[in-house]
Amino acid sequence: EVQLQASGGGLVQAGGSLRLSCVASGFTFDDYAIGWFRQAPGKEQEGVSCISTSDGTTYYPGSVKGRFTISSDNAKNTVLLQMNSLKPEDTAVYYCTVLKGCWILPPVYQGQGTLVTVSS
């Protein structure tokens, strides 16, 4: 059974930082990419980072590039998302997501989200 345990969300002031963690189990970690998607109230879900766990290649959209950093610890089946210089528009529920490859949809599996709230 695939399981993704996301944690690390919370309330932070604009300009602050948070680190999200995703611990995966139930599948061969190195065979897939792991992405973080987010969904703000009233908006569609969007991808904010992705890592190819087989070779460490990372991808970011322009809205977070330079502020967010995704990394993986394959020995621990864990993906981290370091978020710096947070803005109120980063407020959303963040979802750890298993993909066949970065940005290849639909996702294989998406876990429960963790809420990030950035106050102005």
Side-chain angles (χ1 to χ4, degrees), residues 40-68:
K43 295 188 176 181
E44 292 187 355
Q45 200 171 93
E46 63 170 339
V48 295
S49 66
C50 187
I51 185 165
S52 175
T53 57
S54 60
D55 63 10
T57 305
T58 58
Y59 303 86
Y60 307 93
S63 58
V64 306
K65 199 167 187 177
R67 300 190 298 121
F68 289 12

Side-chain angles (χ1 to χ4, degrees), residues 1-2 8 16 38 44 55 60-61 69 73 76 89 96 108:
E1 179 187 2
V2 176
R38 69 184 180 188
E44 292 187 355
D55 63 10
Y60 307 93
T69 303
D73 182 340
K76 297 181 179 179
E89 51 263 43
C96 180
V108 175

Side-chain angles (χ1 to χ4, degrees), residues 6 9-10 20 35-48 68 81 83 88-97 110-118:
L20 306 184
W36 285 96
F37 288 71
R38 69 184 180 188
Q39 189 163 21
K43 295 188 176 181
E44 292 187 355
Q45 200 171 93
E46 63 170 339
V48 295
F68 289 12
L81 182 66
M83 305 186 295
E89 51 263 43
D90 295 318
T91 295
V93 178
Y94 285 70
Y95 298 91
C96 180
T97 306
Q110 189 170 76
Q112 297 293 321
T114 184
L115 177 63
V116 172
T117 304
V118 185

Side-chain angles (χ1 to χ4, degrees), residues 1-4 24-27 109:
E1 179 187 2
V2 176
Q3 291 191 352
L4 297 173
S25 62
F27 62 100
Y109 187 83

Side-chain angles (χ1 to χ4, degrees), residues 25-32 53 77:
S25 62
F27 62 100
T28 304
F29 191 74
D30 295 0
D31 285 350
Y32 295 89
T53 57
N77 285 9

